[in-house]
Amino acid sequence: MNCRTFGKTGRQVSEIGLGTWQLGTRWGDPFDREEAFRILETAEDAGITFIDTADVYNGGKSEETIGEYISAHPGRFYITTKCGRRLNPHTEEMYTPSAIAGFIEDSLKRMHLERLDMILLHCPPTPVFRRDDIFGELDRQKKLGKIADYGVSIEKAQEGIQAMEYDISAMEVIFNMFRLKPLDEMFPLAAEKQVGIIARVPLASGLLTGKYTRDTTFGPKDHRSYNREGASFDKGETFSGVPYELGLQAVEALKETFGTSDLAPLAIRWILMHPEVSVVIPGASRASQVQDNVRAAELPRLTDGQMQAVQEIYDQYLRATIHPQW
Ligand SMILES: NC(=O)c1ccc[n+]([C@@H]2O[C@H](COP(=O)([O-])OP(=O)(O)OC[C@H]3O[C@@H](n4cnc5c(N)ncnc54)[C@H](OP(=O)(O)O)[C@@H]3O)[C@@H](O)[C@H]2O)c1
């Protein structure tokens, strides 16, 4: 497993990390603690050293399980968590320095840590990216030693550009074969400012694995059922905002280009072709998916022709729908 420098934190992290929104559950299924542990063990065995979590994932179970695991395996993982989404209603007014301080304390407790490696504002409302008091509180928490570094998770490229006015060390962004907008302005600025990029939703919620069809069904509590139109949160988080049927057509074009229907490692390898990315964080509902996804680290570099073909597929099928929205 190759490592990359995580922006201005200077820390070395595995270029493939682990997303844990669905740790121990297939989004909406009951929590399976043993499978959650198997996923973490498999990640560690595969050389993964970076975990992405959030205080809201599975009502706190994601952080708690990670906390339990790292207590038994200290020092193996660099952990990024996120806060803000517990605010109800999730509005700009609810963001206060004391709320942020409280979230940090809660995450420290859930993971049995004295200091968080990295905390990100979890896709707050756009005006929060201009709030001196919120970024000031993050600076204060850093001075207090409660967090080592901080950053933001964003929905729109413009939010990322705004956030880089502050001294953030990392930014989490949707970046995959179906989401090319970050390449336009955001990645060059992040490289200039040494902001580490965490590429999330790398498989477009599984669509880019190539395994879904028109007949695939998702459970009623799975966001791939209920959030396709953004009923609960930004629809960009579900299939990367790509309408399902259109996504299937683009996936068919990718299969033809690469001559295989086993797209998951290629989709991850494509992300790793971009040096601005510090780490890509595929989520896994089963340990076998972790094993499958780390194969990307062994794949050869994609050719210029393959990179060009992905760009053309995006331009043909998705640019008009996706590019203006995020
Ligand atoms: N706002 C934010 O900051 C935010 C939002 C979204 C995600 N995230 C983070 O980013 C991580 C990754 O995003 P994501 O999990 O939403 O999407 P993703 O990584 O694009 O897709 C994950 C899903 O794809 C399927 N999958 C994964 N590997 C597979 C393989 N090898 N073969 C077949 N299917 C496979 C699984 O679904 P099934 O098994 O159910 O088919 C899995 O749950 C999350 O876990 C979370 O840590 C952050």
Side-chain angles (χ1 to χ4, degrees):
M1 175 71 71
N2 292 318
C3 286
R4 295 189 183 194
T5 305
F6 189 34
K8 65 176 93 139
T9 72
R11 296 281 298 267
Q12 291 292 306
V13 296
S14 57
E15 62 185 6
I16 300 176
L18 176 70
T20 64
W21 180 9
Q22 59 286 79
L23 184 70
T25 157
R26 194 185 182 239
W27 282 317
D29 285 355
F31 179 66
D32 180 341
R33 185 177 172 280
E34 280 178 21
E35 189 60 37
F37 266 77
R38 265 196 296 278
I39 287 170
L40 293 168
E41 256 160 31
T42 306
E44 187 183 340
D45 290 348
I48 287 176
T49 62
F50 185 101
I51 295 182
D52 178 79
T53 185
D55 56 2
V56 283
Y57 290 167
N58 208 354
K61 281 204 180 68
S62 176
E63 277 192 343
E64 282 164 14
T65 312
I66 291 164
E68 208 182 321
Y69 186 86
I70 59 173
S71 297
H73 304 76
R76 309 284 171 84
F77 291 115
Y78 179 100
I79 295 165
T80 290
T81 193
K82 314 186 202 78
C83 69
R85 289 274 159 173
R86 285 184 176 248
L87 294 170
N88 187 11
H90 184 243
T91 57
E92 192 218 333
E93 296 70 38
M94 296 291 281
Y95 275 78
T96 61
S98 67
I100 299 295
F103 292 142
I104 289 172
E105 283 303 331
D106 292 346
S107 287
L108 286 168
K109 274 193 206 112
R110 268 191 295 274
M111 292 194 278
H112 316 291
L113 292 169
E114 287 176 6
R115 188 172 68 156
L116 301 176
D117 292 327
M118 171 66 71
I119 192 153
L120 309 177
L121 298 177
H122 196 170
C123 298
T126 304
V128 174
F129 292 104
R130 294 181 186 278
R131 288 270 300 273
D132 292 352
D133 59 339
I134 296 301
F135 287 96
E137 178 61 22
L138 290 166
D139 277 328
R140 199 178 75 86
Q141 293 288 328
K142 199 169 160 175
K143 285 196 192 101
L144 287 172
K146 300 274 182 184
I147 60 176
D149 285 290
Y150 66 83
V152 294
S153 183
I154 59 152
E155 287 166 354
K156 298 182 177 66
Q158 216 42 51
E159 293 172 340
I161 291 165
Q162 169 58 39
M164 283 189 272
E165 298 280 316
Y166 294 97
D167 191 23
I168 59 171
S169 302
M171 182 149 56
E172 185 165 318
V173 52
I174 299 182
F175 179 58
N176 60 40
M177 286 172 162
F178 286 175
R179 181 71 74 89
L180 305 197
K181 181 78 163 271
L183 289 169
D184 290 356
E185 276 181 79
M186 207 173 74
F187 276 15
L189 190 60
E192 188 191 313
K193 296 197 173 233
Q194 282 188 285
V195 172
I197 296 287
I198 306 167
R200 78 170 183 268
V201 197
L203 301 171
S205 315
L207 196 48
L208 276 168
T209 63
K211 71 176 179 179
Y212 301 154
T213 68
R214 280 191 171 75
D215 301 324
T216 305
T217 54
F218 302 95
K221 291 188 190 156
D222 187 324
H223 70 96
R224 293 169 295 186
S225 292
Y226 68 77
N227 196 53
R228 288 191 188 188
E229 296 307 321
S232 289
F233 45 85
D234 186 45
K235 69 178 180 182
E237 308 297 342
T238 302
F239 298 127
S240 201
V242 173
Y244 190 67
E245 297 281 326
L246 184 61
L248 290 178
Q249 287 174 37
V251 163
E252 281 314 305
L254 287 171
K255 286 180 181 174
E256 212 161 292
T257 294
F258 287 100
T260 175
S261 51
D262 180 21
L263 290 183
L266 287 163
I268 294 168
R269 181 67 243 183
W270 179 89
I271 292 170
L272 292 174
M273 291 294 290
H274 300 87
E276 301 88 345
V277 172
S278 293
V279 55
V280 51
I281 51 163
S285 63
R286 288 183 291 286
S288 57
Q289 292 176 348
V290 178
Q291 274 163 340
D292 211 19
N293 293 336
V294 293
R295 287 186 294 142
E298 307 301 327
L299 288 183
R301 291 176 62 79
L302 302 189
T303 64
D304 290 348
Q306 288 170 323
M307 294 302 285
Q308 182 61 28
V310 173
Q311 174 81 52
E312 283 166 11
I313 289 168
Y314 177 80
D315 289 347
Q316 183 184 346
Y317 291 92
L318 305 169
R319 178 177 284 274
T321 312
I322 299 301
H323 227 68
Q325 293 196 63
W326 291 280

